[in-house]
């Protein structure tokens, strides 16, 4: 009842006859539509590229800028890291900044540790100096006591010598 057709079989033929003006109008409309659709496609591609660029390039660079700004202003938390894992130029800068911050954190930790050790040593030295000063004061006090006793002995010896001289003078007069 129904004939079977295969793909590609011609079913009918149509002949269109257009005047030159109609042909130019159809061509112009086709060209206008083509340019319009092509322009829309280009604009959509540019918007997509802008969004991709923003997510791939601008956002990581903004994070990098904020971290560097935070460190540069002196309020920097050296424990913060960008942690951007990319194997391109965009990923190199954050990776090297993270390595720099690791090094700075290690240096600051070592400085802090050295500072605490220096404070402890300084306190020990201060205690030692205070003990030496106390010992020096005690030695000075003992020297003063010894000097006073030597002076007392010298005075007694002088008095004894004067008494002996007087006794000898008396003995010499009696004899």
């Amino acid at each position: 009842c129904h004939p079977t057709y295969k793909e590609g079989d011609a079913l009918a033929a149509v002949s269109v006859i257009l005047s030159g003006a109609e042909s130019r109008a159809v061509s112009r409309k086709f060209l206008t539509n083509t340019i319009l659709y092509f322009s829309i496609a280009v604009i959509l591609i540019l918007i997509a590229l802008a969004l991709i660029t923003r997510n791939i390039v601008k956002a990581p660079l903004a994070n990098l800028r904020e971290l560097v700004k935070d460190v540069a202003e002196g309020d920097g938390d050296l424990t913060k890291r960008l942690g951007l894992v990319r194997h391109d130029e965009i990923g190199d800068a954050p990776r090297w900044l993270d390595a720099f911050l690791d090094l700075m954190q290690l240096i600051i930790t070592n400085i802090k540790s050295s500072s605490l050790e220096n404070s402890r040593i300084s306190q020990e030295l201060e205690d030692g100096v205070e003990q030496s000063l106390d010992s020096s004061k005690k030695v000075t006090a003992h020297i003063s006591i010894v000097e006073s006793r030597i002076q007392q002995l010298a005075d007694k010896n002088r008095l004894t010598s004067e008494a002996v001289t007087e006794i000898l003078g008396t003995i010499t007069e009696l004899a």
Side-chain angles (χ1 to χ4, degrees), residues 23-153:
S23 174
R24 282 190 294 277
V26 168
S27 294
R28 195 172 295 127
K29 185 174 182 180
F30 175 76
L31 183 62
T32 302
N33 286 341
T34 303
I35 290 173
L36 176 67
Y37 294 140
F38 183 75
S39 297
I40 291 171
V42 167
I43 290 172
L44 290 175
I45 289 171
L46 289 176
I47 290 171
L49 285 175
L51 291 173
I52 290 170
T53 302
R54 182 173 153 244
N55 291 335
I56 291 176
V57 176
K58 189 176 178 185
L61 289 179
N63 291 341
L64 177 64
R65 183 189 69 232
E66 287 303 313
L67 182 62
V68 170
K69 180 181 173 189
D70 188 38
V71 170
E73 288 178 342
D75 298 331
D77 179 1
L78 294 179
T79 61
K80 286 184 182 177
R81 298 293 182 272
L82 288 171
L84 186 63
V85 181
R86 289 177 57 168
H87 302 289
D88 58 6
E89 292 78 12
I90 301 287
D92 282 347
R95 188 170 30 261
W96 285 110
L97 180 63
D98 285 349
F100 173 73
L101 290 175
D102 287 340
L103 180 62
M104 291 305 298
Q105 186 176 10
L106 180 64
I107 289 171
I108 299 280
T109 301
N110 288 340
I111 289 171
K112 194 176 186 181
S113 176
S114 295
S115 177
L116 291 172
E117 181 67 16
N118 287 342
S119 291
R120 185 189 61 77
I121 291 170
S122 175
Q123 186 61 45
E124 287 177 6
L125 288 173
E126 185 179 332
D127 293 345
V129 167
E130 284 181 21
Q131 288 175 355
S132 295
L133 184 60
D134 288 343
S135 295
S136 294
K137 286 179 181 178
K138 288 177 183 176
V139 168
T140 303
H142 286 292
I143 290 174
S144 293
I145 291 170
V146 170
E147 182 184 14
S148 174
R149 288 190 181 153
I150 289 174
Q151 186 61 45
Q152 288 173 358
L153 285 173

